[in-house]
Amino acid sequence: MGKHNNDRLQGTLDLLILKALARSEALHGYGIAQVIRAWSDDMLRIEDGSLYPALHRMTEERWLKAEWGVTDTNRKARFYSITAAGRKQLAAEEKNWAHLTDAVARFLRFA
Amino acid sequence: MSFWSRFKNAVRPDALDVELQNEVETHIALIEADEIKRGASPEAARAYARQRFGNTMVHREVTRDRDLFAWVEQFVQDARFSIRQLARVPGFTLTTVLLLALGIGVNTAIFTLLNSVVLHSLPLPDADRLLVLLERMPGGGDSPPSWLDQKDFREQNHVLESLAAFSYGSSMLLRNGNETNRVVAGYVTPDYFSTMGVKPVAGRLFETSEAKAGSDAVVLVREDYWRTALNGDPAILGKQLEVNGRKCEVIGMLPESFRFPSDTAVVWAPLVPKPNEASNRGWHGFPLVGRLKPGVSMDQARTERSGSMKNLTQ
């Protein structure tokens, strides 16, 4: 199957996850969801479940590293952390994002 | 075998899905714990966790095989369409669907069934006696039963004259000669067609013996698909098509009007659960369709099932 048509949206989710992990220790999925919610003042309504396809894909891409650990409440969880390749990807995604929003902003000014 | 295990990631170790399940369960437990800490009741915490996490089944499937993404979206659209259609037929959910537990979010599979059977008025005998069986999960919400629960249903059942399992409509790669197409398929147990009351327009249906790994290389095609995509090949019966890279014999043809589990399903193959799915009561992957015995009302059936459900675990 070819690239999915919501690549942009997917890229945005990647960006959020990478950013969340770039600023902290290894986090489990719920931790990442909490960080995204907190930073976006709950403006970004992402179903928590949709993080997992992204996390697994990004781990395969080796942007993230995943390790099993135990939560405070003694539950098994996979903890994700960002790799060097992930940081590179983050820089690229941030740049993309800036370009995109810049282009849209310019369009809105002149259209 | 359920649909997600049939696709390209079938090569992945099964442990992967168990791990993912652990991950998802932990996630939901953490949301609940935080909510309770904030003073929510356990019920409210559970409801919030479900809503916030989204559809766990779908997410698990998607994570397991991301290429299913497009299909899941299509399915959601189909379901939305069905819901809209459903809204035009007032009151009929009461008479045509048995929900073992009608939770907050009604499972989309039900709508698919109704869409197909009722709204498109499939020419099936006594379609009003057909129903979908789901389970209420301990935490609330509905889920398809596990394979073992399905077996228990069969043994304990007094209200259904027949019962069959199916997978949600899923896609498969179908190769005929040099041409490969992605088509929507239904994986079903052999008693599926007799339960629905559908007869082949040519050839035969699945034998019980074909619901076993190794002897399940057989498919049925929908008549209009044969006419168009398969060029109306007069020698189609007995012909080998390549299904997800595996040679399968076309043994029969179903009427164009038969549209279940999905409106777009054009191929059917035997449903063979993998050993770990067949033995795991936590693997809720098998929606059931049943046909009420004559003279048994939906209400009677509902009472009956909620009684015997108590014996089942998870």
Side-chain angles (χ1 to χ4, degrees):
Chain A
M1 197 182 293
K3 279 225 158 187
H4 194 245
N5 59 11
N6 71 355
D7 275 357
R8 187 61 249 163
L9 210 62
Q10 187 172 300
T12 308
L13 187 55
D14 290 3
L15 174 61
L16 296 173
I17 292 171
L18 289 168
K19 192 76 186 173
L21 289 172
R23 295 245 203 120
S24 73
E25 309 267 295
L27 290 173
H28 46 58
Y30 178 61
I32 296 170
Q34 289 297 77
V35 168
I36 293 176
R37 273 169 190 256
W39 287 354
S40 69
D41 282 334
D42 268 352
M43 290 283 285
L44 297 171
R45 295 259 165 210
I46 298 163
E47 275 193 349
D48 288 7
S50 61
L51 288 175
Y52 288 93
L55 288 170
H56 284 233
R57 173 173 42 76
M58 292 164 74
T59 306
E60 252 166 61
E61 304 264 11
R62 302 191 188 276
W63 300 340
L64 306 182
K65 200 174 71 184
E67 273 168 327
W68 283 98
V70 176
T71 67
D72 310 342
T73 49
N74 219 18
R75 278 184 157 271
K76 244 180 106 179
R78 201 155 12 199
F79 286 79
Y80 297 88
S81 53
I82 191 166
T83 62
R87 286 186 193 278
K88 222 182 254 175
Q89 180 65 20
L90 172 60
E93 291 278 0
E94 278 186 309
K95 211 161 140 195
N96 275 343
W97 180 256
H99 281 159
L100 179 74
T101 49
D102 195 43
V104 173
R106 219 173 310 158
F107 176 81
L108 290 179
R109 264 200 307 277
F110 292 109
Chain B
M1 194 187 297
S2 56
F3 69 88
W4 52 84
S5 44
R6 286 194 180 244
F7 289 125
K8 53 180 262 192
N9 280 356
V11 290
R12 286 198 188 180
D14 297 318
L16 190 76
D17 203 64
V18 176
E19 289 185 351
L20 181 56
Q21 195 175 342
N22 275 332
E23 229 182 336
V24 168
E25 277 167 8
T26 295
H27 190 116
I28 288 172
L30 288 170
I31 301 177
E32 286 180 17
D34 271 3
E35 282 303 288
I36 288 168
K37 236 186 273 168
R38 266 183 232 167
S41 70
E43 294 74 32
R46 221 164 3 232
Y48 172 74
R50 279 183 177 277
Q51 175 240 322
R52 173 169 160 175
F53 193 86
N55 186 335
T56 46
M57 285 296 287
V58 170
H59 286 306
R60 275 177 49 201
E61 286 154 20
V62 172
T63 309
R64 173 107 183 228
D65 185 340
R66 288 182 319 271
D67 273 358
L68 281 178
F69 231 136
W71 169 76
V72 169
E73 280 188 353
Q74 183 57 48
F75 182 67
V76 169
Q77 279 167 14
D78 285 351
R80 281 200 191 119
F81 172 75
S82 310
I83 291 163
R84 280 201 300 274
Q85 294 293 304
L86 189 64
R88 295 187 192 145
V89 187
F92 90 131
T93 47
L94 294 176
T95 57
T96 47
V97 178
L98 166 69
L99 273 181
L100 283 181
L102 182 56
I104 321 157
V106 175
N107 196 298
T108 46
I110 293 160
F111 294 124
T112 309
L113 173 70
L114 295 174
N115 183 22
S116 314
V117 174
V118 180
L119 298 169
H120 291 197
S121 306
L122 292 190
L124 296 176
D126 299 322
D128 59 336
R129 289 200 280 126
L130 290 173
L131 47 85
V132 165
L133 283 103
L134 296 179
E135 283 179 9
R136 161 161 286 185
M137 305 301 286
D142 304 321
S143 178
S146 66
W147 191 255
L148 288 173
D149 286 355
Q150 172 252 173
K151 280 189 165 168
D152 290 349
F153 276 134
R154 284 180 195 267
E155 279 170 22
Q156 298 173 19
N157 156 57
H158 301 297
V159 293
L160 301 179
E161 64 178 32
S162 67
L163 181 66
F166 61 95
S167 74
Y168 296 118
S170 49
S171 77
M172 57 164 60
L173 285 175
L174 195 75
R175 186 182 160 107
N176 177 33
N178 291 326
E179 204 180 324
T180 303
N181 287 306
R182 189 172 282 269
V183 299
V184 176
Y187 290 94
V188 301
T189 53
D191 39 14
Y192 178 79
F193 301 105
S194 56
T195 301
M196 302 288 274
V198 66
K199 299 213 161 45
V201 290
R204 62 173 181 87
L205 301 169
F206 300 137
E207 305 280 352
T208 313
S209 60
E210 285 163 341
K212 276 193 204 87
S215 33
D216 59 338
V218 284
V219 290
L220 295 161
V221 296
R222 206 170 76 190
E223 192 180 8
D224 52 323
Y225 183 77
W226 162 72
R227 213 183 305 120
T228 53
L230 300 175
N231 307 315
D233 180 355
I236 189 68
L237 294 181
K239 196 174 172 182
Q240 305 271 332
L241 296 179
E242 211 177 291
V243 176
N244 293 341
R246 176 179 175 227
K247 293 243 186 254
C248 288
E249 184 186 338
V250 180
I251 57 160
M253 212 183 302
L254 290 172
E256 184 173 347
S257 57
F258 187 67
R259 309 269 167 140
F260 195 79
S262 146
D263 216 28
T264 47
V266 291
V267 178
W268 286 263
L271 172 64
V272 184
K274 291 166 78 168
N276 67 318
E277 293 170 1
S279 60
N280 179 357
R281 231 181 253 278
W283 182 277
H284 293 270
F286 303 98
L288 307 177
V289 59
R291 179 176 283 274
L292 283 177
K293 283 182 183 167
V296 176
S297 73
M298 281 285 168
D299 277 347
Q300 281 168 317
R302 188 177 284 118
T303 321
E304 158 84 14
R305 293 259 52 99
S306 52
S308 59
M309 273 297 292
K310 286 177 190 144
N311 303 327
L312 305 178
T313 50
Q314 285 197 8

